[in-house]
Amino acid sequence: MKSYLAAAIQMTSVPDLHKNLAQAEELIDLAVRRGAELVGLPENFSFMGEEQDKLAQAEAIARESEIFIKTMAQRYQVTLLGGSFPVPVSDTGRVYNTTILVSPSGEELTRYNKVHLFDVNVPDGNTYRESSTVVAGQQLPPVHFSEHLGNIGVSICYDVRFPELYRHLSDKGTDIIFIPAAFTAFTGKDHWQVLLQARAIENTAYVIAPAQTGNNYGRRLTHGHAVIIDPWGTILADAGDKPGIAIAEINPSRLEQVRRQMPSLQHRVFS
Ligand SMILES: O=C(O)CNC(=O)[C@H](CS)NC(=O)CCC(=O)C(=O)O
């Protein structure tokens, strides 16, 4: 594993596929011009809108999102996480909430369907029923083993509240955890940073968390603050609340140093 720059992209995705893909390419271009070799897009990067609109356009969103991710990875010669996008599940009328990691040659390295669905009545009065349109994934997320970039584990948004998923990634040797998200503004202000730092600290791993921000559609407000966090829990970069990027160095000697200073993974009793 070498030292390199990684970027977490922050977007305000709207109910317009082509607008979102154009915004995503601009931000990938920015990240690459600043030297990033590993880049992540947020959850639902290619479409944020009413659930019924998303379902109606799911075939096109799925097809174009996947082509877009592979084309961008090749065009910009980066390893790219396609945050998440809907993928129709036959005979259900619903979709998976899916993320893929793609190599600079356009090859799919890993694929994961979000396991934990956001069915929550948020105290601000908004109700979320992700399971009404999304089929839950049935498999733990995969880890991609990379000689150059380190071992990369993936997850999506609401997963961040379930530490057992990350302990699984950690057991598989994960050095870098992706957590692309579209956190609500209401929960995000109190929980987002704390949860991300906890996942980084308890697994002594880097966390790369691309995010949605601002007013996506209707009354949907997302929290922003795409971040990159080091294995000590220090926030290395924060994209604030406007579309943009958080960019920071992923450094194997820092990883090794923190794992030496805080060997908690070696002190587990119940494993
Ligand atoms: O809403 C959309 O348009 C797209 N879908 C999402 O943004 C997903 C599923 S509803 N959001 C989350 O999982 C938020 C979790 C969260 O905010 C928390 O855990 O507090």
Side-chain angles (χ1 to χ4, degrees), residues 43-44 114 118 130 157-158 161 182-184 187 217 220:
E43 183 181 32
N44 288 310
K114 188 185 190 187
F118 191 53
E130 191 175 18
C157 196
Y158 188 50
R161 294 181 185 273
F183 240 62
T184 70
T187 55
Y217 61 93
R220 183 85 166 95

Side-chain angles (χ1 to χ4, degrees), residues 43 157-158 160-161 181-189 191-192 195 212 220-224:
E43 183 181 32
C157 196
Y158 188 50
V160 74
R161 294 181 185 273
F183 240 62
T184 70
F186 188 86
T187 55
K189 67 182 181 347
H191 297 168
W192 171 245
L195 288 167
Q212 290 285 350
R220 183 85 166 95
L221 294 171
T222 45
H223 176 66

